[in-house]
Amino acid sequence: MTTQHTDKDFSAALEEKVLKYTEIENRALEVLSISVPENSLLYEFAKSSLEMVYSYFSDAKHFQEVGDLINALSCLNYSYGWLDSGVRLGIFKTDGDYRKFTFYK
């Protein structure tokens, strides 16, 4: 037996995901900072990576505001990918919460 999903079900699930991942990223950004010294060769890379995080996150909020939840979720994924990869590379400092960031070796 297959379950039929309606457009309404899909829209509700999409909206729920966008809200959930926006909140997760808000919490992550509260504890995120650049971890490399300003005179480090990696500082400019860290700074531009953080700009990418904020740019995609801003785009996600814009798309959410205009009701384009597919693009909002896409931007959230890109933003968090930049964020999480920076944490994993060690250019961003966090609170060490493995539920918000990928620390596995």
Side-chain angles (χ1 to χ4, degrees):
M1 181 170 127
T2 50
T3 304
Q4 300 251 337
H5 296 285
T6 66
D7 287 344
K8 190 175 181 179
D9 294 336
F10 177 77
S11 294
L14 183 58
E15 184 172 3
E16 183 180 319
K17 292 259 186 233
V18 167
L19 292 173
K20 175 185 174 184
Y21 291 119
T22 298
E23 179 56 33
I24 289 171
E25 187 152 349
N26 275 323
R27 286 190 313 235
L29 289 171
E30 288 174 0
V31 298
L32 188 79
S33 62
I34 293 177
S35 64
V36 295
E38 285 188 39
N39 61 349
S40 163
L41 293 173
L42 285 175
Y43 184 78
E44 287 304 315
F45 175 71
K47 198 167 107 175
S48 70
S49 294
L50 193 56
E51 288 173 8
M52 293 299 285
V53 169
Y54 281 107
S55 291
Y56 275 111
F57 194 47
S58 175
D59 289 348
K61 289 191 257 183
H62 165 75
F63 285 124
Q64 186 178 5
E65 287 171 6
V66 299
D68 186 349
L69 298 180
I70 295 284
N71 280 318
L73 187 59
S74 296
C75 288
L76 284 167
N77 285 317
Y78 271 101
S79 179
Y80 214 87
W82 277 94
L83 189 156
D84 209 29
S85 66
V87 169
R88 191 140 184 187
L89 285 168
I91 61 171
F92 298 148
K93 181 173 57 175
T94 70
D95 61 359
D97 184 347
Y98 69 90
R99 292 168 297 184
K100 287 190 292 252
F101 309 103
T102 304
F103 290 104
Y104 302 107
K105 292 183 182 180

